[in-house]
Amino acid sequence: MSVPSAATEQQALSLLSAEAVRTRAREMLDIGLRGGLAHFTIDLDRLDAVTDAVLAVTRATYPTLDIPFHARWRHFVVGGADRWAAKADAVSWVDRAARARAEFDLAIVSVLLDAGAGPTWRYHDDVTGRSIGRSEGLALASLDMFAGGAFSADARDPFRVDIDVIANLPLADLQQGFQVTDTNPMVGLEGRTDLLRRLGRLLATRPDVFASRERPRPGGLFDRLAAQAKNGAIAAPAILSEVLQQLGQIWPSRLALAGIPLGDCWRHPALKTDDATDGLVPLHKLSQWLSYSLIEPLQRAGLEVTNIDGLTGLAEYRNGGLFVDLDVLRLRDAADAQRAHEVDSLLVVEWRALTVALLDLLAERIRTRLDRSAEELPLASILEGGTWAAGRAAAFARRADGTPPLKVISDGTVF
């Protein structure tokens, strides 16, 4: 058996970065603009219409243009009431780090449970009496489970996630927590359950990362990141690198290089390099969504998070659907809109990579229109303002159930 070289290991680690996502997405766009992709053509002239759509949604939702980051915390706000803040503010935390660990616990579990639920699933919210679907419903369900101590081993300390609980999490617990029944089905529930179990098992093997201050928990990642801060600051891409390197092993049956799991990374023959990463396209959607969601707990704990634009846009079906529905991306074969596609298919890999690159181009146009700099209007705020909501609006304008324009077969751990 050959032993991976140090160079190959470094090449593998290079894919676990936002820079790799952005660089290879741009390469995919360049190939597409030359007509070299099998499934899509690209019409950049249509980006003006997309800019109009995103600005209309943004101004309607945030008329003062004071736009928060795209993060899980937005989904915990219902009818103007911040459910998590109300709960957290009522706790006498030992210090700011204690609250940050709890918020890391909540964000990590909630994001891992956040892949699409399907068009019919709903969560009945006892507070408002509303039935809420999709990401907002998933967020409330996960928050209610967390706040109710569903992931804690200590009834006196419900706001935590303990590894022995999630490592052995029964599927029935998530079914109950997410109100899943035969008449209220959820896509990919088994995959989500397995992901939390994998997380619990992984954390048990890494006390150096997740238990530097107390017993192992996902929130231990806060202490690791805080220890890396220089002069009280940490760069957003460093958050993603830690998320990818420390949590990468939880992803099921994906590509690995030099024994290093590559996470949300897929093959496409059009991407050429002269090393072991040839043909590999990293996207890291859920890990970047999580990284965006860890910024605010770090800030609340007194740390400065820099280079937020070092992260990329998210390669998911709302952002990607926006570009398909508004004709920036056009299928070479119209029949592909009616077919279901595996997440590792060339069509889906192209779609997702093009989405990341197009979001960067779109962000430039939006900033120009609003006369804002990247510092004043980071990509995280444009996503929130923004592209995700405009993608959803475009989907509902074209399809009654708001489904994306392309059908992706997913196990609940990608989208």
Side-chain angles (χ1 to χ4, degrees), residues 108-404:
I108 290 171
V109 167
S110 188
V111 167
L112 292 182
L113 292 169
D114 188 40
T120 62
W121 175 83
R122 295 289 185 274
Y123 182 70
H124 179 78
D125 176 35
D126 288 338
V127 176
T128 63
R130 294 168 51 200
S131 290
I132 304 171
R134 304 185 186 272
S135 285
E136 292 88 344
L138 290 168
L140 284 183
S142 60
L143 174 60
D144 286 348
M145 289 187 71
F146 177 80
F151 307 115
S152 173
D154 185 351
R156 298 165 300 178
D157 186 11
F159 292 172
R160 62 178 296 120
V161 174
D162 284 303
I163 60 171
D164 52 341
V165 175
I166 59 172
N168 301 289
L169 188 70
L171 175 63
D173 284 11
L174 277 190
Q175 287 176 322
Q176 180 178 0
F178 283 85
Q179 302 174 357
V180 175
T181 64
D182 290 342
T183 58
N184 190 34
M186 174 184 285
V187 173
L189 186 65
E190 292 82 0
R192 297 164 211 264
T193 307
D194 184 57
L195 206 55
L196 289 190
R197 291 170 181 164
R198 287 170 176 265
L199 175 65
R201 293 194 293 268
L202 171 66
L203 267 55
T205 68
R206 298 300 308 275
D208 57 317
V209 175
F210 298 103
S212 64
R213 292 292 185 270
E214 54 169 288
R215 65 183 189 270
R217 60 190 292 187
L221 186 61
F222 164 78
D223 296 298
R224 182 174 178 86
L225 289 170
Q228 294 178 17
K230 296 180 179 179
N231 298 319
I234 186 166
I239 301 172
L240 176 64
S241 293
E242 282 296 318
V243 166
L244 289 169
Q245 292 184 44
Q246 306 306 337
L247 301 180
Q249 294 179 45
I250 68 174
W251 304 109
S253 303
R254 301 231 182 115
L255 297 175
L257 180 61
I260 297 170
L262 300 180
D264 185 4
C265 182
W266 312 90
R267 293 194 182 279
H268 196 291
L271 264 291
K272 298 294 185 183
T273 64
D274 58 2
D275 62 14
T277 68
D278 183 59
L280 294 177
V281 184
L283 295 164
H284 305 315
K285 180 259 172 177
L286 272 179
S287 295
Q288 293 210 78
W289 173 230
L290 175 56
S291 298
Y292 279 124
S293 299
L294 297 180
I295 290 173
E296 289 162 71
L298 287 163
Q299 292 174 328
R300 280 191 284 270
L303 293 167
E304 179 186 3
V305 180
T306 61
N307 191 21
I308 292 170
D309 257 23
L311 299 177
T312 78
L314 303 180
E316 48 81 49
Y317 68 87
R318 287 305 183 204
N319 289 320
L322 176 66
F323 295 115
V324 173
D325 278 332
L326 296 187
D327 296 322
V328 176
L329 297 178
R330 293 173 179 155
L331 291 166
R332 290 188 180 275
D333 181 356
D336 275 334
Q338 306 307 317
R339 302 182 181 115
H341 307 275
E342 296 287 350
V343 73
D344 62 350
S345 67
L346 296 189
L347 182 148
V348 173
V349 175
E350 288 178 11
W351 181 35
R352 298 182 70 208
L354 291 171
T355 296
V356 171
L358 289 169
L359 285 168
D360 278 344
L361 298 184
L362 180 63
E364 293 173 4
R365 293 177 182 231
I366 289 172
R367 289 173 185 138
T368 297
R369 291 268 202 100
L370 297 177
D371 193 25
R372 298 290 178 92
S373 67
E375 291 72 26
E376 293 169 324
L377 189 63
L379 180 58
S381 296
I382 291 172
L383 295 173
E384 175 59 26
T387 60
W388 191 90
R392 173 182 277 185
F396 274 99
R398 286 156 180 78
R399 292 167 296 279
D401 60 0
T403 51

